[in-house]
Amino acid sequence: MDVHRIPLGNNIFEGQNNAYLLDGEVTTLIDVGASMPAVRADLLDGLAAADVALSDLDRILLTHWHTDHCGLAGELQAETGAAVFAHEADVPLIAGDEDAKAAVEELRERRFREWGIPGEKLAELDEFRAKFETMTGEVERVESLREGDRVAAGDGELGVLHLPGHAAGQVGFTFERAPDGDATDPSREAFVGDAILPQYTPNVGGADLRVDRPLKQYVESLDRLIDCDFDRVWPGHRDPIGDPAARARVIRAHHVERTRRVVDVLREHGPADAWTVSAHLFGELENIHILHGPGEAFAHLDHLAHAGVVERDGDEYRLIESDPDVSELFPKTKY
C-alpha cells in the first residue's frame, strides 16, 4: 500500500497537520485538516502532486472529531459524494448532532466551574474558540466504525484500532506494507491521528471532556500501541514515527513523572483545584492552553483520586497518602 503524505500548513493547535492519501480502487483520504482556505489549497496541491483529482475521492476516514482533523470533511463530501467514516463515539459530533453538541457544552460549563478557571481566562478562551467556529463543517452522512472493523482503502484494507484517551473516538487504521529491499517480512504500520505524536505529548483531559477516566484510558491505549509493536506509524502532525513502541514508552513515562509532580504540588501547596495545580505545573496559560492545562491537571488528579492517593473535597483535591509509589499506579495493561 502506497502512502502519500500531504502536509497541511495549519498553525493552530499542535500545527503541521497531515492528511494521507491512499490512491487505488477506493481512493481514500485519512484526515482532511481544518476548513481554512490555506489548508484546502495545501490539500488540493497534495492531491495534484499525486496525480489525483478531487473528483476521484471515494472515501474519507477520520481518526477523531477534532477540527484540525475533520474540518474539511463536510465540504469535501458535498463536492465529491465521498463516504465519511469515523468511530461511533465521535460520529454525532462530526455530524453536527445538536443534542451531542449541547451535551458537550453543558459538560464544558460544569467542568470549567469545577476546575476553577478564572472568569477573565474563560473570556480569553471563548475569544480564542470563536476564531475557529467556522473551521468545521457539518458532515451530512457519517458511517460508524468500531474496534475490529475492516474498511477498504486504496488497493487494500485497513483495520480499526480503538485508542481512546485524547478523544473518545480516537482510532488508528492499521495495515501491512509489502517488504522493501532485502526485507522478507511485511512492514506493520498504522495511521494514528493524535494517539501519539513525534514531538508533543497529546493532551489528555481537556481535549475531549467526554472521556471518562481519561488518563487511565490513554495509558491503556499507549500500552496497546506498545504491544502492537508497529514498524512505523503515521501521526496526525509532523513526521512519521519509526519506532512507535519506543515513543509510546516515552509518553507513558512522561505521564508517570507528571503524576509525581502533581503529588508534589499537593504536598507543598495543600489542597487545590485543577486550575491551581495547572498553574504550578505550567505557569501562565493562554489561548487553547487555558483548556488543555487544567484538563491535563484534572486527568492526573482524577487518576490519583481513583487510586485513593488524593481525596476530592468539593472542587479541591487533598493528598491523603503522603508518599505514594506513583509507578504502581500505572500497571502494564495486557492485550
Side-chain angles (χ1 to χ4, degrees), residues 27-67:
T27 302
T28 300
L29 279 174
I30 297 169
D31 286 347
V32 291
S35 180
M36 302 166 61
V39 172
R40 180 187 172 94
D42 287 339
L43 183 62
L44 294 180
D45 287 346
L47 292 175
D51 198 25
V52 172
L54 185 59
S55 58
D56 295 330
L57 186 61
D58 298 309
R59 184 159 289 181
I60 296 170
L61 305 180
L62 300 173
T63 60
H64 60 298
W65 66 275
H66 290 157
T67 296

Side-chain angles (χ1 to χ4, degrees), residues 239-286:
D239 297 330
I241 302 172
D243 188 350
R247 179 61 183 153
R249 289 188 184 95
V250 168
I251 297 173
R252 194 184 200 281
H254 161 85
H255 281 292
V256 175
E257 181 56 33
R258 177 156 289 170
T259 302
R260 290 194 181 97
R261 290 184 61 199
V262 170
V263 169
D264 290 342
V265 167
L266 294 179
R267 184 186 297 115
E268 294 170 15
H269 301 282
D273 58 22
W275 177 259
T276 302
V277 171
S278 72
H280 287 292
L281 292 175
F282 310 119
E284 183 73 15
L285 297 173
E286 299 178 344

